[in-house]
Amino acid sequence: MNHVHKQLTRSTLAIVISAIIVSGCAQESTDTAKRSLPQSTSKTQSASETHSTSQDNLELHEVAGLVRASEPQADLYIPVKQQSSSAKANAASIEQRTVSGKFIGSNSVRDKHIRVSDRNLSSVPIANDKFESVVQNGNMLAAETPVSTFSIDVDTGSYSTTRRLINQGQLPAKNTVRVEELVNYFSYSYPAPTSTEQPFSVNTELAPSPYNADTQLLRIGIKGFDVAADQLGASNLVLLLDVSGSMSSIDKLPLLKQAMLMLSQQLSAHDKVSIVVYAGASGVVLDGVAGNNFTAIKTALSQLNAQGGTNGSQGIQLAYQLAQKHFIANGSNRVILATDCDFNLGMTDHQQLVDYVASQSKNGIGLSTLGFGLGSGTASYNDHLLEQLSNKANGQYAFIDTLNEARKVLVDQLSATLLTIAHDVKVQIEFNPAVVSEYRLIGYENRLLNRSDFNNDAVDAGEVGAGHTVTALYELRYNDSHNRLVDPLRYGIEKPAVEDAMVNTDEVAFLKLRYKAIGEQTSQLIAYPINRDKQLTHLHQTSDDFRFAAAVAGFGQLLNQNDYVHDTDYANLITLAESAMGQDRFGYRHEFVQMVKTASVLDRQVMITEPDTRSVSQ
């Protein structure tokens, strides 16, 4: 009997073991079959990527207690607890993803060398973030095109988005960095205007360029008169806040709330604050409460949650209605749009949005834009749209990636953010072809104006805020330079034209600026000659501001893979910046040096892993 019992036990065990082996083999065969599926069929690959993206979205939104469905026509959120066990299992099986949003195997470095295990998944930039590519300014011949005209720019968004990318281990894509926004992120110790009759001062500095041998660098600096925060006039602010589902991550709506609380702490009883939110629908949360009613503002902000789609256009229209309702004559009337700019519902024609805010600025209501968070899941951050909206609406664009950046924009530089002291500021410089053979404007590619636009008061241009500094840089080559890029024409009239036209060889260029004073529709003119005898002979003789601005502009050009810098690299720029720290009250210059050092390491990594390109694609 015992013998029979033992035999039955052995048979049972054998059956169980066989079943386990068969099951394992079947699973292995399934996995092998999946791995061996052909990758050349575009439809199959697209379907696979769509499924991967769907699972990624589940993982991203689980942190916020929500799961977003990935249907193309839907914008649905369901609680995490309602997920099926298989969905959770699938999401948990996702181990790695590249910075471009494509999935890779555990041993693959096919796409990029950064893995999701190296940093928080939600902070990795996604391929569909929109950074506009610009065409680099080239060398211009002074004998053929002696006049350069552009609108000033006080935006800083490109600097902080660049910092965000680099801190996450990614270099910006080629030609997506707006160099002037990097330079103008920093304040410079330019002389302040002596009276408010002229709202800003202008000064120049000319010295050898660090970018190319036998060239010169011309710096043009503008400094607006400053106004203490407690001396600001009354402000009518409408906070237009994005509370759509794409804002759920910690670097978006939670950071936005903290930033708005910082702003509200700077306001007084004379100010008015309204809050409009938008997602699938828009609504008024606060309607013109006193600026010092901190409790009401804090309570309203604390109740905001991220959910739904993004009907940005409807929210903007409602915000302007409130701004008009509480309009303060001779005060600062401004809508502050805070968003990740993932407009996917409502009026999605971006040009219509730009035209709408431009028309509202003529009614005395400005628009400033604050960007939060780069894209995650199916969201896409639209850097270009936020920049264009502020450009056309007498405002400023900043990207808020940290609480320190929120403090910089909304506390330390509040006067510049809220109070505009000059409208439609344009710069025009005429180079003397008897002295200058070639010149190149560094940055400002999307701010260029026609020569005739300078005297046309109907043409929109940039604004200067209280205390703002604005910097522009030109690289020059003189006629006696041994480093000229363009040979003189054999059959042209270039030389006779220069000799007949020019009688003053002491001047390098003639600088003109136009601006409109507040409340005026007719521009005023300022003009300055730039004399060659004022030029410094060595770079080390220049001011700290000159050298630091040159280092920042050089960094932007390297990131853009600029074709016109030959004698500089990251090491040279670090040395140049470290020689020009100045007082650096807030530590921004030291932070910049650390960022350049990190970018230098990333650049070497990319050169090793991807020798055909220096940028990590977005």
Side-chain angles (χ1 to χ4, degrees), residues 240 242 278-279 282 309-318 337 339 342-348 353:
L240 176 56
D242 183 352
Y278 67 95
S282 302
T310 313
N311 193 339
S313 59
Q314 187 180 54
I316 287 177
Q317 292 168 348
L318 184 56
L337 169 62
T339 178
D342 181 26
F343 292 168
N344 52 35
L345 294 174
M347 182 169 54
T348 55
L353 286 172

Side-chain angles (χ1 to χ4, degrees), residues 8 20 53 61 70 81 103 148 181 216 224 260 317 335 365 388 450 461 463 467 489 506 510 513 549 561 586 612:
L8 289 172
I20 293 173
T53 302
H61 289 281
S70 303
K81 63 183 179 181
F103 289 83
S148 173
E181 294 187 24
Q216 314 303 316
M260 295 301 104
Q317 292 168 348
V335 174
I365 302 172
Q388 290 299 302
N450 296 321
E463 282 66 45
L489 295 174
D506 296 329
F510 193 67
L513 295 99
Q561 303 178 39
F586 296 104
D612 294 334

Side-chain angles (χ1 to χ4, degrees), residues 105-166:
S106 58
N107 297 320
S108 173
V109 291
R110 180 190 61 213
D111 292 326
K112 302 290 173 239
H113 57 273
I114 301 174
R115 299 180 303 173
V116 69
S117 57
D118 296 330
R119 60 180 55 83
N120 188 302
L121 180 64
S122 64
S123 68
V124 178
I126 303 301
N128 56 353
D129 287 336
K130 298 178 179 63
F131 292 88
E132 188 80 358
S133 181
V134 298
V135 178
Q136 303 170 20
N137 290 330
N139 267 30
M140 307 296 293
L141 290 177
E144 297 178 359
T145 312
V147 178
S148 173
T149 310
F150 65 94
S151 164
I152 66 154
D153 186 9
V154 294
D155 293 342
T156 60
S158 194
Y159 180 89
S160 41
T161 54
T162 296
R163 177 179 61 198
R164 168 72 177 262
L165 290 170
I166 290 174

Side-chain angles (χ1 to χ4, degrees), residues 288-308:
V289 303
N292 64 344
N293 193 343
F294 182 74
T295 301
I297 297 171
K298 182 177 181 180
T299 300
L301 290 171
S302 67
Q303 296 174 349
L304 302 182
N305 295 300
Q307 59 183 347

Side-chain angles (χ1 to χ4, degrees), residues 135 137 148-151 441 443-450 453:
V135 178
N137 290 330
S148 173
T149 310
F150 65 94
S151 164
L441 174 62
Y444 292 93
E445 283 87 357
N446 64 356
R447 296 282 189 157
L448 299 179
L449 298 174
N450 296 321
D453 293 339

